[in-house]
Amino acid sequence: MEHEQQAGEYQANDADALVGELFSGGITVGEAIERLRTRLLDLSGRNRLLNYRHPKGRCIQIADEPNVNLVFDRLHVDGKGVPFKHVPEPPPDSYEGKRPEARLYAPRVGISTSFEFAPNPGGSAGRRLHGIQTLLYPADLERQLRKIASEAKTAVEETGSNMLFLVFGFLEFYDSEDSERPMLAPLLSLPVTLVRGEIDRETRTYQYTVQHNGEDLAENHTLREKLRRDFMLSIPEFGDEDEPETYFRRIEDAVKNKRRWKVRRQITLGMLSFGKLAIWSDLDTKKNPGLTDHELIKSVFSGGSGGGSGDGGLHAEDYRIDERPEASQPLIYDADSSQHSAIIDVLAGKNLVVNGPPGTGKSQTITNVIAAALSNGKKVLFVSEKLAALEVVRHRLNHAGLGHFCLELHSHKTQKKKFLEDLNARIEERFPAPVQFQAKLATLQRQKAELARYAELMGSRVGNALGLTINEVFWAAERRRQELGDLSAEVNAIGFPDASKWTHDDIEFRGSRLAGLAEVHDHVVVPGSDEALQLVLECRRCVALEIHATREGDHEH
């Protein structure tokens, strides 16, 4: 039985089997989306949104029983920063040997070491908040906050989403009635940022302040879904007028019939990831019924023609750019034929994937696509998980003078205040028309036609019976000139009036005659002497005359 269960779990987690099931067209689009949504929610004990364990060195717990509502209001409502308070260093003469731990020394200076706070129904009006107390000495506090701030910054750059939160309250629950291991799930998570201040004169360490970063308060939807599925339990949502304490009491009322379940009134600074929850919410077909009818989504799950028939239908075509009228796009960066072809397909409304190793111009092509779409009056949403990819394209657009048309919605740029400021700046901006634009455009078109005519001429096959293009003839002559070195000028002096009519057989015939003469010459003259050089030149002239005469005699017969 255990073996069968393990086999079933393996099949459920097998990526290849899942892909074959979802994207074969065997199930409906709605069913496929719902199964993908389920995989976005990790309802196991591995998920920190259900089982937060306060990782050592990567989170900071607040002690000394602060007023939870007061801390919340200062950060979320008033938008003010709240400093972290340290445990003062014990005087050197107050202990022997190793310095006592901060948690053991804190009670001596009147600091409560409990991370659990008693219910405090009082409001925050008129009360002062001087900071939130930690159980760390100054140097340890600075080091840990610096580390957390660095990790938070890296997370924003790598994933585009903030992961640093100040958690208000946890729900302690058990996965089953007979489980002895409690699970701790965050209830309210306020997105915050750490601001480094000045150096404290007494401790000589940097002071840090926690501030609300402007993003929305995050509720634990993973916990809500876990309780709904496994326990048929619904917990209330946090209302606009709610404060943490009132919300905690409503949660307590909702779980009052669950043995051993309780709300832990704690405040913790730590890293959490809510990124997949946004996708999970957006893929709800009940809230967004149009998802299942969208042509692109249907083609993803059920397959499509690939834009053509046969094996070549899945591969793009490199167009002859100068022969296509839609190729006249206002490109702001250079583009070769394959890049230009991709731009044509995108602007024609085709769905495609541009693939290539680093340095092949993918970001440059994206920049050209955005610029061309802007000139056509279209809106473009450019999405990337990595901040670096967005920065490259934004830098290129800024360099081309199109930066004002870019509204950044990545990472900290999504803050409401910053977003409104960016919108206002674009509303107020005025763009004068370029001077002599049409005249410069006409000059560009004329020069482009001249270059196209030159390219056509270099590719024409005239002036020889070998079927070579003019470009091939030029390069063949240059290659042989390089091989001859100093003798190239003497050889160029030898004329062949009918050379344009020579076929490959004619060239082979003359080459063999000349090779035979060279072999005889090597046996008669000492190589390297002036006499030998004069003889070679004379012989070549004679051979040329003889070959020419021979061919004329052949034509007469």
Side-chain angles (χ1 to χ4, degrees):
M1 180 68 182
E2 183 179 354
H3 176 74
E4 292 178 358
Q5 183 178 1
Q6 290 177 352
E9 291 176 356
Y10 173 79
Q11 288 296 326
N13 294 321
D14 183 34
D16 293 335
L18 181 70
V19 169
E21 180 184 12
L22 295 181
F23 301 102
S24 62
I27 60 177
T28 65
V29 174
E31 292 172 337
I33 291 176
E34 190 58 35
R35 295 192 186 185
L36 284 177
R37 288 185 75 232
T38 302
R39 290 178 64 87
L40 286 172
L41 284 182
D42 180 6
L43 301 182
S44 69
R46 297 186 300 270
N47 192 344
R48 280 185 285 181
L49 292 174
L50 296 176
N51 189 22
Y52 193 80
R53 299 179 181 179
H54 290 94
K56 186 177 181 180
R58 301 188 63 188
C59 73
I60 291 182
Q61 292 180 268
I62 306 305
D64 206 29
E65 300 187 10
N67 185 303
V68 177
N69 288 347
L70 181 60
V71 177
F72 183 84
D73 287 347
R74 287 295 178 271
L75 291 168
H76 187 245
V77 179
D78 300 338
K80 297 180 179 180
V82 177
F84 289 95
K85 296 164 63 177
H86 58 263
V87 175
E89 290 273 4
D93 57 357
S94 66
Y95 61 90
E96 295 182 0
K98 187 178 179 180
R99 182 184 63 174
E101 293 183 11
R103 186 166 186 174
L104 298 177
Y105 179 71
R108 302 183 193 177
V109 291
I111 298 175
S112 172
T113 59
S114 175
F115 296 130
E116 183 83 15
F117 316 140
N120 190 343
S124 60
R127 304 187 64 176
R128 296 178 62 85
L129 180 66
H130 300 288
I132 46 180
Q133 182 68 54
T134 68
L135 295 182
L136 294 169
Y137 288 128
D140 297 330
L141 178 61
E142 180 195 8
R143 181 169 55 253
Q144 198 156 323
L145 287 173
R146 183 173 64 247
K147 179 182 178 182
I148 293 174
S150 176
E151 291 181 357
K153 180 181 178 182
T154 301
V156 169
E157 293 175 350
E158 291 294 325
T159 67
S161 60
N162 174 70
M163 292 188 181
L164 183 62
F165 293 87
L166 194 64
V167 180
F168 291 85
F170 294 84
L171 176 65
E172 182 180 284
F173 70 102
Y174 293 82
D175 217 2
S176 62
E177 284 293 333
D178 55 353
S179 174
E180 297 297 329
R181 185 170 62 89
M183 300 174 69
L184 211 59
L187 289 176
L188 297 174
S189 301
L190 184 69
V192 295
T193 183
L194 291 175
V195 179
R196 192 180 73 175
E198 298 179 351
I199 295 179
D200 188 289
R201 293 182 179 180
E202 295 182 5
T203 64
R204 307 308 301 170
T205 58
Y206 283 105
Q207 297 175 319
Y208 277 85
T209 300
V210 61
Q211 289 184 348
H212 179 213
N213 71 358
E215 296 179 13
D216 293 335
L217 180 71
E219 293 186 61
N220 196 340
H221 292 285
T222 302
L223 174 63
R224 179 172 282 111
E225 190 68 14
K226 170 78 171 178
L227 299 184
R228 185 186 68 83
R229 293 188 184 188
D230 295 355
F231 301 97
M232 303 295 292
L233 188 65
S234 177
I235 59 175
E237 296 184 357
F238 188 79
D240 294 336
E241 303 299 325
D242 280 344
E243 287 189 325
E245 185 55 46
T246 58
Y247 182 65
F248 295 159
R249 290 200 299 269
R250 292 167 60 201
I251 295 290
E252 288 174 330
D253 186 62
V255 301
K256 63 183 178 181
N257 294 327
K258 292 294 181 181
R259 187 173 65 90
R260 300 181 295 170
W261 288 29
K262 61 184 66 176
V263 172
R264 295 291 188 186
R265 288 166 171 81
Q266 301 178 9
I267 298 179
T268 298
L269 177 74
M271 304 284 286
L272 296 172
S273 177
F274 289 90
K276 291 183 178 180
L277 290 178
I279 304 176
W280 174 82
S281 178
D282 290 342
L283 289 179
D284 189 348
T285 54
K286 294 179 181 179
K287 295 180 180 178
N288 303 299
L291 280 176
T292 55
D293 298 326
H294 197 283
E295 290 299 325
L296 179 57
I297 293 180
K298 288 197 292 186
S299 68
V300 168
F301 286 102
S302 304
S305 63
S309 58
D311 294 336
L314 296 176
H315 299 279
E317 174 188 358
D318 276 4
Y319 303 127
R320 295 180 64 88
I321 303 301
D322 294 327
E323 298 177 0
R324 301 183 72 95
E326 66 269 34
S328 298
Q329 300 293 340
L331 304 185
I332 59 176
Y333 286 98
D334 295 339
D336 60 23
S337 59
S338 63
Q339 295 168 344
H340 210 144
S341 299
I343 296 170
I344 292 174
D345 286 342
V346 171
L347 296 178
K350 295 183 179 180
N351 303 310
L352 67 152
V353 176
V354 178
N355 186 31
T360 53
K362 296 185 294 298
S363 62
Q364 187 167 306
T365 302
I366 293 172
T367 307
N368 277 327
V369 167
I370 293 174
L374 287 175
S375 71
N376 292 336
K378 294 185 177 181
K379 301 182 184 70
V380 180
L381 176 63
F382 177 39
V383 180
S384 174
E385 183 179 8
K386 301 288 186 180
L387 177 61
L390 293 179
E391 290 291 342
V392 168
V393 174
R394 183 187 63 82
H395 176 73
R396 290 181 181 274
L397 290 169
N398 284 343
H399 187 69
L402 297 178
H404 282 285
F405 295 94
C406 301
L407 185 60
E408 297 181 72
L409 297 174
H410 194 284
S411 63
H412 64 281
K413 306 269 178 80
T414 59
Q415 296 175 11
K416 186 179 297 183
K417 181 179 179 182
K418 174 67 175 173
F419 177 74
L420 294 176
E421 289 175 352
D422 288 344
L423 280 181
N424 185 66
R426 281 151 181 77
I427 293 173
E428 298 295 332
E429 188 68 31
R430 296 294 180 266
F431 302 95
V435 180
Q436 298 293 325
F437 175 71
Q438 292 299 330
K440 293 178 180 179
L441 189 61
T443 301
L444 177 64
Q445 294 296 336
R446 177 181 57 77
Q447 293 173 342
K448 182 179 177 181
E450 292 177 358
L451 288 174
R453 172 58 183 158
Y454 176 77
E456 181 182 0
L457 180 62
M458 292 296 292
S460 61
R461 304 177 186 276
V462 296
N464 67 91
L466 302 176
L468 300 176
T469 65
I470 294 178
N471 181 63
E472 291 169 337
V473 171
F474 281 170
W475 278 110
E478 177 61 21
R479 184 168 62 253
R480 285 159 177 78
R481 187 186 70 79
Q482 295 286 348
E483 293 172 354
L484 289 171
D486 296 337
L487 293 176
S488 61
E490 298 293 342
V491 173
N492 281 336
I494 303 174
F496 299 95
D498 59 344
S500 62
K501 300 178 182 178
W502 289 3
T503 64
H504 282 287
D505 182 59
D506 294 330
I507 295 175
E508 287 292 329
F509 171 73
R510 287 164 172 77
S512 63
R513 294 290 297 272
L514 187 58
L517 183 61
E519 185 177 354
V520 173
H521 157 265
D522 290 339
H523 289 83
V524 175
V525 182
V526 178
S529 64
D530 294 338
E531 185 180 16
L533 179 60
Q534 294 298 327
L535 181 58
V536 168
L537 296 175
E538 187 63 30
C539 286
R540 287 180 176 175
R541 291 191 181 93
C542 292
V543 169
L545 293 174
E546 191 228 339
I547 291 174
H548 184 65
T550 302
R551 299 301 291 180
E552 285 185 346
D554 292 341
H555 288 306
E556 289 176 0
H557 289 294

